[in-house]
Amino acid sequence: MALAAEPMSADVVIRMEGVQKWYDQFQVLKDIDLEVRKGERIVICGPSGSGKSTLIRCINQLERHQKGRIVVNGVELGPKHRQLDTVRREVGMVFQSFNLFPHLTVLENCMLAPLKVRGVSKAEAKATAMTYLERVRIPEQADKYPGQLSGGQQQRVAIARSLCMNPLVMLFDEPTSALDPEMVKEVLDTMIGLAEDGMTMLCVTHEMGFAKSVAHRVIFMDRGEIVEQNTPDEFFTDPKSERTRSFLGQILSH
Amino acid sequence: MIRAFGYNEFLFLLSAVQWTLALSVIAFLGGATVGLFVALGRTCDVKPLRWLATGYIQIFQGTPLLMQLFLVFFGATVLGIDMSPWVAAALGLTLNTSAFLGEIWRGCIQSVPKGQWEAASALGLRYPGLMRYVVLPQAVKVAVPPTVGYLVQVIKGTSLAAIIGFVELTRAGQIVNNATFQPFLVFGVVAAMYFVLCWPLSLLSARLEARYAAPTR
């Protein structure tokens, strides 16, 4: 609880205090304390079922927590989550399975939320969409449907779609896990580009190379708890907990 | 005096088809409108609404359409409302159709993958926008073939309105039969007319199903 005692700093974007969540009897998140500052890049790793996806899904309340506080950009999402709309507008999310809207073109996918949520003009939404499609290097696919694109291209569109809302934070939920190996790099490169531009990022990923080169902080979760958080250097060379060591042993040995 | 079944009788039956069609169209449009809300109620997060929609569907699926028509027609009389067979038939069929379409469409809405709801929510879309721009357009694709198929049931269901005295195709058949006493011929012609209305819809439904079965992703 050391973090919770600190004064609220102005550049804290996400603060989680004592967050707990259960699926019936099973506790998926146990007393999570986490603070994310503006511009910070955090990689969350851990074995499957450790609660890492649930943790980031609580930040935009795709999953509800039952206890504790989550404050995003000064807006509190209590268990009653009344300020949900405000928070979702500021938090972008990229999913493992892309979740592009198959009945809309790439361009329409990118324009939908700015038009209907932010209420910008069609011309502005289109200009923004094209800017970000260029940034993820697929402006030429704008008029195609998601089904016509490769997995890597779809995931880059999904990143562009989130960026069109001009979010304060980006959440990545295993963005490369559903991709064929040859497409992982193009998505990671896009994410690295975002990092270089100073985007605040929380990534659940098993890409340890990405964690080493991009993350400011690596968080290891196991059985619903944050077991260890550290700089990538120390995390990979000198892990403190036994559980971290055995996890790293398993994923880095092959 | 007994008449023979001739050209005039045939024309009389044919003209009654328009009332069968009119009743079908009203039942379908009314049923679709109410049915959309039933389907939305069935799939929403608010428990009381979900129970209400579920109960509504159970009641109309669990009782015969004829009883529903009786209850509307005679119920109106009990309540002191002078309801014509026309209105009673339209109302009864609308309620019945809405329950069945509501249940069909519930399945279509739920067939849209959860990830679509999550992605739309994560982008900040609230329920109305999420439904209108993301979920329903995808659900409609799935819904078209079974909905067209169900239209056949609606058309055939209108024949029960004959019993509360609404003159549509079946009632016209009864009237002609009372004058000609040729039940096999008369009702054979009536059945053939229903078949001509329904068969193309069945074919269309099958064709649409084949078309939409092609994967989009």
Side-chain angles (χ1 to χ4, degrees):
Chain A
M1 296 294 280
L3 287 174
E6 284 175 13
M8 185 82 176
S9 148
D11 61 355
V12 170
V13 185
I14 299 169
R15 176 194 290 273
M16 302 176 89
E17 285 173 12
V19 172
Q20 314 218 23
K21 178 173 174 64
W22 289 263
Y23 289 128
D24 294 324
Q25 299 297 308
F26 180 70
Q27 191 166 7
V28 270
L29 293 179
K30 297 174 188 162
D31 208 15
I32 299 290
D33 291 317
L34 176 67
E35 204 178 63
V36 183
R37 285 164 195 279
K38 198 165 189 309
E40 214 178 1
R41 303 187 286 274
I42 297 176
V43 162
I44 305 173
C45 61
S48 78
S50 59
K52 50 196 194 304
S53 284
T54 308
L55 187 153
I56 68 166
R57 288 160 63 89
C58 279
I59 294 170
N60 64 356
Q61 294 282 291
L62 289 182
E63 307 270 358
R64 292 179 195 183
H65 59 296
Q66 281 114 11
K67 263 192 176 169
R69 299 176 68 207
I70 300 177
V71 183
V72 181
N73 197 28
V75 178
E76 171 153 6
L77 292 164
K80 286 188 178 157
H81 76 79
R82 292 166 76 188
Q83 311 300 330
L84 190 53
D85 292 334
T86 324
V87 167
R88 282 186 174 163
R89 249 173 266 170
E90 307 303 333
V91 178
M93 188 168 212
V94 174
F95 299 86
Q96 181 177 349
S97 49
F98 328 136
N99 295 345
L100 293 177
F101 306 132
H103 59 299
L104 301 178
T105 65
V106 163
L107 185 62
E108 289 166 343
N109 263 276
C110 292
M111 289 168 64
L112 181 66
L115 279 176
K116 303 303 173 193
V117 179
R118 289 235 191 264
V120 305
S121 72
K122 219 168 178 178
E124 191 185 335
K126 188 173 176 182
T128 311
M130 288 314 295
T131 307
Y132 286 112
L133 286 174
E134 267 156 37
R135 180 132 157 219
V136 302
R137 297 185 313 282
I138 36 177
E140 71 281 2
Q141 312 283 7
D143 294 322
K144 289 196 181 163
Y145 285 89
Q148 297 169 283
L149 307 185
S150 73
Q153 289 172 324
Q154 289 193 47
Q155 194 60 299
R156 285 189 280 146
V157 172
I159 293 172
R161 178 176 70 176
S162 280
L163 292 176
C164 285
M165 285 295 281
N166 197 14
L168 214 60
V169 193
M170 285 284 283
L171 308 174
F172 292 86
D173 190 2
E174 304 202 29
T176 57
S177 300
L179 294 173
D180 291 332
E182 72 271 23
M183 292 169 187
V184 170
K185 188 174 178 296
E186 63 187 69
V187 171
L188 288 181
D189 284 347
T190 307
M191 291 168 65
I192 290 168
L194 267 185
E196 283 164 354
D197 291 345
M199 176 62 78
T200 311
M201 298 163 72
L202 257 88
C203 312
V204 172
T205 181
H206 295 118
E207 297 293 335
M208 289 302 127
F210 175 80
K212 276 179 199 169
S213 61
V214 172
H216 294 120
R217 196 158 27 128
V218 180
I219 290 176
F220 173 68
M221 285 185 74
D222 191 19
R223 288 172 230 156
E225 292 173 306
I226 294 182
V227 177
E228 183 163 349
Q229 43 179 322
N230 217 328
T231 60
D233 276 352
E234 285 191 36
F235 183 84
F236 289 108
T237 54
D238 185 23
K240 291 191 200 74
S241 98
E242 183 52 44
R243 279 194 273 175
T244 314
R245 268 196 291 277
S246 94
F247 174 75
L248 288 175
Q250 278 160 8
I251 62 164
L252 297 176
S253 61
H254 55 79
Chain B
M1 198 191 98
I2 297 175
R3 285 187 289 167
F5 185 83
Y7 186 60
N8 283 336
E9 285 68 26
F10 181 79
L11 278 186
F12 179 66
L13 291 181
L14 201 58
S15 73
V17 167
Q18 65 181 309
W19 298 112
T20 287
L21 281 178
L23 192 56
S24 301
V25 167
I26 287 172
F28 185 72
L29 293 181
T33 310
V34 181
L36 178 63
F37 288 100
V38 174
L40 291 176
R42 259 309 249 120
T43 55
C44 77
D45 278 343
V46 187
K47 265 188 188 166
L49 275 181
R50 217 161 55 217
W51 290 335
L52 199 69
T54 308
Y56 182 86
I57 291 170
Q58 298 293 345
I59 286 169
F60 283 98
Q61 289 196 339
T63 55
L65 172 55
L66 184 56
M67 294 308 121
Q68 295 162 19
L69 290 177
F70 279 169
L71 288 175
V72 171
F73 187 54
F74 299 121
T77 315
V78 169
L79 293 175
I81 304 163
D82 185 23
M83 195 180 275
S84 71
W86 222 137
V87 175
L91 186 59
L93 282 162
T94 290
L95 293 174
N96 183 269
T97 305
S98 70
F100 279 88
L101 286 180
E103 184 65 1
I104 292 172
W105 292 346
R106 170 199 63 82
C108 299
I109 288 173
Q110 287 176 341
S111 76
V112 176
K114 204 170 150 240
Q116 295 289 310
W117 301 66
E118 290 184 348
S121 305
L123 283 167
L125 283 166
R126 296 164 115 191
Y127 183 81
L130 177 151
M131 274 294 166
R132 182 165 161 209
Y133 301 111
V134 177
V135 174
L136 290 182
Q138 296 183 61
V140 162
K141 258 189 159 179
V142 189
V144 169
T147 304
V148 173
Y150 190 72
L151 191 47
V152 171
Q153 302 300 324
V154 175
I155 291 173
K156 292 191 292 185
T158 59
S159 65
L160 290 175
I163 299 177
I164 58 172
F166 177 69
V167 184
E168 39 62 75
L169 182 50
T170 300
R171 182 85 189 117
Q174 289 171 344
I175 293 167
V176 170
N177 181 52
N178 288 344
T180 62
F181 291 107
Q182 291 174 290
F184 190 74
L185 177 63
V186 173
F187 290 115
V189 171
V190 167
M193 286 179 173
Y194 277 111
F195 185 76
V196 169
L197 293 179
C198 294
W199 190 49
L201 287 171
S202 295
L203 285 183
L204 179 64
S205 172
R207 181 169 299 180
L208 289 170
E209 200 174 325
R211 170 136 65 103
Y212 287 139
T216 52
R217 283 202 287 179

